[in-house]
Amino acid sequence: MATPLKKRYLALGAQGLISKKRGKAGNHRYPESFKALALAYVREYYLDFRPTFAGEKLSENHDLHISHETLRQWMMEAEIWQSKSQRLKSDGL
């Protein structure tokens, strides 16, 4: 008896092995409104903070609990924060 994956492979070849969820948003993704609120607080109060400390302050003062890695990625996307390699490039080193 063939499994669904094997049936898709036999019918579609290698393309049948690609996940159907590819390119779609994940189930654990934060809503855009939450992201916008967090970035607004960072811009208003914590613009000169590093992502870890900004995340701690968002948690303490605004009851927004975000991992520092997620906040770092959001800050880089919004051009609030630069990765270390980008900072070194911009400094001309």
Side-chain angles (χ1 to χ4, degrees), residues 1-70:
M1 186 160 119
T3 64
L5 188 60
K6 186 174 180 182
K7 286 180 185 178
R8 279 201 324 258
Y9 177 73
L10 293 173
L12 303 172
Q15 291 287 24
L17 299 178
I18 296 173
S19 173
K20 292 181 181 180
K21 290 188 165 214
R22 187 177 195 175
K24 296 181 181 177
N27 292 338
H28 299 287
R29 185 179 189 148
Y30 288 104
E32 284 298 317
S33 59
F34 182 84
K35 178 180 176 180
L37 180 63
L39 289 175
Y41 281 136
V42 169
R43 281 190 183 99
E44 187 173 345
Y45 301 110
Y46 312 117
L47 194 57
D48 56 342
F49 287 20
R50 297 175 66 112
T52 303
F53 192 48
E56 290 174 6
K57 290 299 176 184
L58 286 173
S59 180
E60 288 174 15
N61 300 335
H62 307 284
D63 201 31
L64 297 178
H65 304 284
I66 311 165
S67 76
H68 66 89
E69 180 59 24
T70 299

